[in-house]
Amino acid sequence: MFERFTKEARAVVVGAQQQARELGHETIGTEHTLLSLLAGDNGAIRDALSNRGVDQTSVRQAIIEHVGDHSEATTIADRDAEDAAALKAIGIDLDAVRAAIEENFGAGALRLPRPAPKKRGIFGRFQTGTSHIPFSPRNKKVLELSLREAIRLKHNYIAPEHIMLGLLREGAGLAALILAEKAVDFDAVREQLTRSLNSHAA
């Protein structure tokens, strides 16, 4: 099936994994695929959804509201806030301690050292050191449905629009819930994307 994916559609799949990783999520859900579709260069999808008030920022915020942001930066910030509150409870002002350290040891004394540069793998790609994130069953279904949408439209390739059509057809994942909460008319979006695909195929 993946041999039918266009370069842009493959970028959506890779982008969904990146979106899940950035949010610190353990599976790649339909919501990450939607976020990746909106982050890409696909004007047809952005036009179909932005006309209905849906964009990358609003979808990311909705994902965080539903699932949370488990990224390392958020976890560290939350831990720092908890530590500051605990120290304040026993009479220690963390800001005063930081100021005293910087006064004695110089500005930036508390900054962490810069991380070592990422190493390139044998294929020239950067090694991230992060483990593989699996696709959720619903998201696997979306990718299967994107193939069915391509077959339905008599296309021998799968483009990002087909993935979006598959997402709409699946209709039960978090992406569909977010779109429904934003009062998106699935049929209207489906029709607009089908027209766009057919105009490119003609």
Side-chain angles (χ1 to χ4, degrees), residues 5 9 12 30 33-34 37-38 42 44-46 48-49 52 138-155 157-173 175-176 179 184-201:
F5 277 59
V12 168
T30 59
T33 297
L34 176 60
L37 284 163
L38 290 167
N42 191 293
I45 292 170
R46 270 201 318 276
L49 294 177
R52 291 155 177 89
R138 284 193 191 282
N139 211 12
K140 287 179 185 175
K141 184 71 174 173
V142 165
L143 297 177
E144 290 171 20
L145 290 171
S146 69
L147 172 63
R148 290 187 190 176
E149 289 294 328
I151 292 168
R152 178 182 69 84
L153 295 168
K154 297 178 175 58
H155 297 155
Y157 61 92
I158 299 171
E161 293 93 336
H162 295 109
I163 296 173
M164 186 67 207
L165 290 170
L167 196 147
L168 293 169
R169 188 168 168 184
E170 188 275 334
L179 293 173
V184 170
D185 181 341
F186 284 30
D187 291 332
V189 172
R190 192 176 289 116
E191 185 180 325
Q192 186 173 341
L193 291 176
T194 301
R195 270 198 318 269
S196 173
L197 280 164
N198 286 334
S199 69
H200 291 308

Side-chain angles (χ1 to χ4, degrees), residues 18-197:
Q18 184 61 35
Q19 297 292 343
R21 184 169 282 126
E22 286 176 10
L23 288 166
H25 296 163
E26 294 179 1
T27 58
I28 305 167
T30 59
E31 65 276 17
H32 303 110
T33 297
L34 176 60
L35 204 50
S36 183
L37 284 163
L38 290 167
D41 292 332
N42 191 293
I45 292 170
R46 270 201 318 276
D47 290 347
L49 294 177
S50 66
N51 292 342
R52 291 155 177 89
V54 178
D55 60 16
Q56 186 182 5
T57 304
S58 66
V59 168
R60 186 179 182 89
Q61 188 56 44
I63 292 169
I64 291 169
E65 288 171 10
H66 282 281
V67 185
D69 182 348
H70 306 292
S71 64
E72 188 176 334
T74 301
T75 304
I76 290 170
D78 290 347
R79 212 170 33 232
D80 285 351
E82 289 171 8
D83 291 348
L87 290 170
K88 190 172 186 171
I90 59 172
I92 298 173
D93 182 358
L94 191 57
D95 290 331
V97 171
R98 282 186 182 135
I101 289 172
E102 289 198 348
E103 186 178 317
N104 289 317
F105 297 100
L110 292 172
R111 286 194 196 115
L112 295 173
R114 298 178 91 184
K118 294 177 182 175
K119 295 182 181 177
R120 287 191 180 263
I122 59 172
F123 296 110
R125 295 187 177 127
F126 286 111
Q127 296 173 338
T128 59
T130 53
S131 61
H132 172 72
I133 303 174
F135 281 86
S136 70
R138 284 193 191 282
N139 211 12
K140 287 179 185 175
K141 184 71 174 173
V142 165
L143 297 177
E144 290 171 20
L145 290 171
S146 69
L147 172 63
R148 290 187 190 176
E149 289 294 328
I151 292 168
R152 178 182 69 84
L153 295 168
K154 297 178 175 58
H155 297 155
N156 61 355
Y157 61 92
I158 299 171
E161 293 93 336
H162 295 109
I163 296 173
M164 186 67 207
L165 290 170
L167 196 147
L168 293 169
R169 188 168 168 184
E170 188 275 334
L174 181 52
L177 174 64
I178 290 168
L179 293 173
E181 287 175 347
K182 297 187 178 300
V184 170
D185 181 341
F186 284 30
D187 291 332
V189 172
R190 192 176 289 116
E191 185 180 325
Q192 186 173 341
L193 291 176
T194 301
R195 270 198 318 269
S196 173
L197 280 164

